[in-house]
Amino acid sequence: MSVSEKNALGRVLLISREAYLAVRGGGRVDNAAALLDGLSAVLSHINDPKKPISKLMGSLKRDIRTKNKAFFADVKLYFSKIYPAPDYDFDKAVKHIPAIILGNDKICAKVVEGRRDRVEAMCDAMKSYPNYLFGEFESLSDKQFYDLVFGFYPKIYNEDFLSEMKGLFEAGEDRNGGQRRL
């Protein structure tokens, strides 16, 4: 049974959420940089007809099992072809993939620098990103979500996190004070 690109992306987003939670909590992750880099590598192939994400799930599984054995136990269910990924707006998620990859890169840089406090803060924000893409923050406008989840980091640490991606969260706003119409 082949897996659709939408289903595969949904499962990678679920694994990403679990990765941010695990890295933030400091447990069950042997190599945080390898885990986040591996997820970014797979995400970078979204809509690639030669190497679709659905075809890279096996290599991601092997990568996690090899470099992060303890974490693999937490996510192995998501690699099952029969696992139903949540329903979500695939096109919106695809639009946000560059921001997720950028966030992962910035977290990895802080891991390498040994800045555990900043890694935890970044992962705390990023763990909400998949949920946002799955529609779990629909009571907030896109801008409100960005301000709530990513806006705190520069205020605490006086350095940028994902400000260059803020435009992704402003593009979906309407002219009614930034609120979505329900």
Side-chain angles (χ1 to χ4, degrees):
M1 170 167 77
S2 105
V3 174
S4 72
E5 196 73 348
K6 180 178 180 179
N7 183 282
L9 176 58
R11 291 188 290 137
V12 172
L13 291 171
L14 288 168
I15 294 165
S16 296
R17 181 185 63 201
E18 296 302 319
Y20 301 131
L21 288 167
V23 171
R24 183 195 77 189
R28 298 187 64 86
V29 175
D30 303 318
N31 188 334
L35 177 60
L36 296 175
D37 277 344
L39 289 165
S40 290
V42 170
L43 289 170
S44 71
H45 287 278
I46 191 67
N47 289 333
D48 180 347
K50 293 181 181 175
K51 277 190 167 179
I53 290 177
S54 57
K55 300 286 186 200
L56 296 172
M57 292 300 289
S59 63
L60 178 62
K61 179 180 179 178
R62 283 186 299 280
D63 190 50
I64 292 173
R65 193 177 358 189
T66 303
K67 297 174 184 166
N68 286 285
K69 290 177 184 161
F71 176 73
F72 179 73
D74 296 340
V75 297
K76 73 179 180 181
L77 172 66
Y78 300 134
F79 289 101
S80 171
K81 288 184 180 182
I82 60 169
Y83 184 84
D87 191 30
Y88 65 99
D89 182 341
F90 179 75
D91 293 328
K92 180 178 182 176
V94 168
K95 183 175 84 170
H96 284 268
I97 295 301
I100 294 172
I101 292 170
L102 178 63
N104 288 349
D105 289 348
K106 290 186 176 210
I107 293 168
C108 288
K110 295 301 178 194
V111 166
V112 170
E113 292 173 14
R115 305 297 302 264
R116 184 78 198 148
D117 59 334
R118 294 172 192 223
V119 168
E120 289 175 5
M122 290 174 163
C123 285
D124 197 42
M126 290 296 287
K127 77 176 180 354
S128 297
Y129 214 149
N131 293 349
Y132 161 75
L133 295 174
F134 294 145
E136 294 179 23
F137 289 87
E138 63 186 23
S139 63
L140 299 176
S141 70
D142 293 347
K143 182 180 182 321
Q144 288 171 327
F145 172 80
Y146 177 87
D147 291 343
L148 176 71
V149 173
F150 297 110
F152 76 93
Y153 186 87
K155 294 174 187 171
I156 295 171
Y157 295 109
N158 199 27
E159 70 181 29
D160 175 59
F161 181 33
L162 286 180
S163 65
E164 57 264 63
M165 294 298 181
K166 190 173 184 177
L168 287 173
F169 298 91
E170 294 172 343
E173 301 297 324
D174 68 15
R175 295 183 184 155
N176 292 332
Q179 298 291 324
R180 285 190 185 150
R181 294 176 200 210
L182 298 176

